[in-house]
Each structure stands twice: as structure tokens, then as C-alpha cells.
Amino acid sequence: MKRRNNARRVDGILVLDKPAGLTSNAALQRVKGIYFAQKAGHTGSLDPLATGVLPICFGEATKWSQFLLDSDKEYVTTVCLGVTTDTGDADGAVLAERSAAGVDLAAIDSALPRFRGEIEQVPPMYSALKRNGVPLYELARAGQVVEREARRITVHSLEREGFEGGERARLVLRVRASKGTYIRVLAEDIGAALGCGAHVATLRRSRAGPFSDADAVSLDVLEELRATRAFAELDGFLLPASCALAHLPEVRLAESSCYYLSQGQAVTVATLPAAGLVRIAAEDGSFRGVGEVLDDRRVAPRRMGAA
């Protein structure tokens, strides 16, 4: 007998406050089950140790997930100085220990500037990047180390928010960086620059693109509502897909222009912002998709569709 599919059509974005101890995919599956959703995907992995902002796209909103994946992220991390681990965080096995008692605020404030702006970063072995189709973390668990090409990232801001000195000094940092930045590697590199080594003790993502802590809802709250089948309340946490693009300038167009864009054709617009991506809306303000301003002052479609 064919099993009946009880999944619901759910559209929108949920900003989850991911708890520690879960992978991003495990958190996604929990939330998808809570909502009985047909289709869902997350927008950028967090390590199991990490907590914080994890936007989850449902239904039509998955069309815009790439824009969240590509967005800048902000983190608050506690870095333990004096101890290095094989994973770069507190979940890993200790590789080396050195005293951090000699590290002071002057040394920290002298080291941090070199990690701001555009820098090169070598991805860690314990990552989901693949080599010949095999995730690097699987190779790492098997005791293998392979060459990884350095990647250029941008650290927009890196600020010291707290420091407790000692043999195992604790340094609290707030970091805003481009996609693909590994905070674990940043902590390790800062520890190396300070001469004592380091690893991430705690990590919280405080912002992902336009979404912040203030938008996030906990898994406990969602599960309590699910237990009473309070779907109206659950759906009340969903944000429109256009929120994922709130950082883009808006261009309002006539319905005819929106139609041509939906057919893959560029349109001429009298007044446009500078070159780059724009959020397309109809004259009534309804969201229609994402376009790109061309050099000839036309707008070309990049991702269209009702949301």
C-alpha cells in the first residue's frame, strides 16, 4: 500500500537559533519535521559546537537560499589560548599545550590588525570540502592530511570584546567576515601569531546576511508548539522570502517589465542604482525576483519567481 504523504506546503524563512551539539543538517531535519514541510534547506553550515543564527528556507524561499549562502556572517567566539586541537575547536583532541601567561592586551591588539581585510586562509582538514568526492573530515578521521589551496577571504571587522589572562587565557572576539571564512582557522592563526597556539572554545553566529539574534527562535519553542499542533503559531515565525534580499536596493517596475524579466529578457529602466544586484518589485511593491544592472543601464533577470 502506498504511504500517504502528510507533508504541508510551507513557504518562507525561519531564523533558527541552532543549539550546540547538532549539525546544521540535523537541525534542519528536526525543523522540517516540526513543520511537516515538503521542502526545506539551510543556508550555511554551523559546526556542532556552534550556536546561533541558521536561516532555514521553506518551499519557494529555497530559490533565494544562495543569496544567504553568499552573504557576510558575524560571530562571537571565545578563543582558548595555549592549547591546539586537531579540529581547531573544543570538540577535538589536544595536540599541544603551551603557557599563555605571557600574552597581554598589548600583544593581542598588536596581532589582530594583520587578520583584518583581505587575507589568505587555508581550509581545515576537518571541513566538508571534498577531495575526489570525499569530504576532508573523513580523510582527517582516517589520519590523512592532504594539501589544501589557500582561499582569499575578507574579514570586515575583528574586535576584542573580552580577555582573561593566565596559563589558559580566554580571548573573546567579534568577527564579521565574508562567506567561506573558518573561525576555527582564524583562532588558530591568531594563536600562532601570539606564540602559544589556540582553539575555539565557544562559537555563536550572531548574524547571517540580514538576519540577527533578534530574529531567531529556539528549537525548544518550536517543539513545544509542534506538540500541540499549533501550526498557525509556528507559521507566524516564518518571514517572507524577500527578507533574504533586504540588503539589495529595490527597483520597482511596471507589470509588463516584470513579465519580460520572467521570460529571461533584459529591460530598460529609466532610473537605476549603481551596477550590481537589485531586488525587483512590481509597482504595488510585491516581490518578483533578483536582477542585475548591466553596463548599458538595463536590468537583466538573475532569479525570478513569485515569493
Side-chain angles (χ1 to χ4, degrees), residues 22 26 30 255 266 277 292 294:
L22 284 181
R30 291 267 290 274
E255 196 62 48
L277 296 177
E292 184 175 5
L294 305 178

Side-chain angles (χ1 to χ4, degrees), residues 58-97:
F58 292 100
E60 283 290 305
T62 58
K63 292 180 178 179
W64 320 108
S65 60
Q66 187 60 48
F67 296 96
L68 286 172
L69 284 166
D70 292 342
S71 65
D72 294 340
K73 312 293 191 301
E74 182 185 80
Y75 302 88
V76 177
T77 181
T78 300
V79 178
C80 176
L81 302 177
V83 179
T84 59
T85 70
D86 58 357
T87 60
D89 62 25
D91 286 342
V94 173
L95 295 178
E97 297 184 67

Side-chain angles (χ1 to χ4, degrees), residues 103-245:
V103 177
D104 57 16
L105 289 178
I108 292 168
D109 291 344
S110 176
L112 292 184
R114 75 186 74 171
F115 298 101
R116 299 184 181 117
E118 288 194 0
I119 62 173
E120 296 285 325
Q121 188 180 75
V122 178
M125 278 299 301
Y126 280 90
S127 68
L129 298 177
K130 294 183 178 180
R131 173 64 59 89
N132 298 324
V134 180
L136 291 183
Y137 64 78
E138 290 189 7
L139 298 177
R141 288 169 181 166
Q144 299 181 45
V145 177
V146 298
E147 289 290 325
R148 287 98 64 205
E149 185 176 346
R151 297 180 168 189
R152 183 162 290 273
I153 61 166
T154 302
V155 177
H156 300 290
S157 62
L158 173 62
E159 303 301 329
R160 169 176 56 81
E161 293 213 333
F163 177 68
E164 294 181 8
E167 291 286 317
R168 299 290 173 263
R170 296 271 171 155
L171 171 63
V172 181
L173 299 171
R174 184 177 294 272
V175 185
R176 185 169 66 87
S178 61
K179 71 169 185 176
T181 300
Y182 288 93
I183 303 301
R184 287 176 287 140
V185 174
L186 185 63
E188 289 178 317
D189 291 345
I190 291 172
L194 293 170
C196 60
H199 70 272
V200 165
T202 67
L203 179 63
R204 180 170 181 80
R205 183 192 281 166
S206 52
R207 178 173 288 276
F211 303 122
S212 71
D213 282 329
D215 304 304
V217 59
S218 73
L219 198 55
D220 287 343
V221 168
L222 297 176
E223 288 180 331
E224 287 175 7
L225 292 172
R226 164 65 180 83
T228 60
R229 301 181 67 85
F231 290 112
E233 288 84 351
L234 285 169
D235 291 349
F237 289 118
L238 299 178
L239 302 172
S242 57
C243 288
L245 309 165

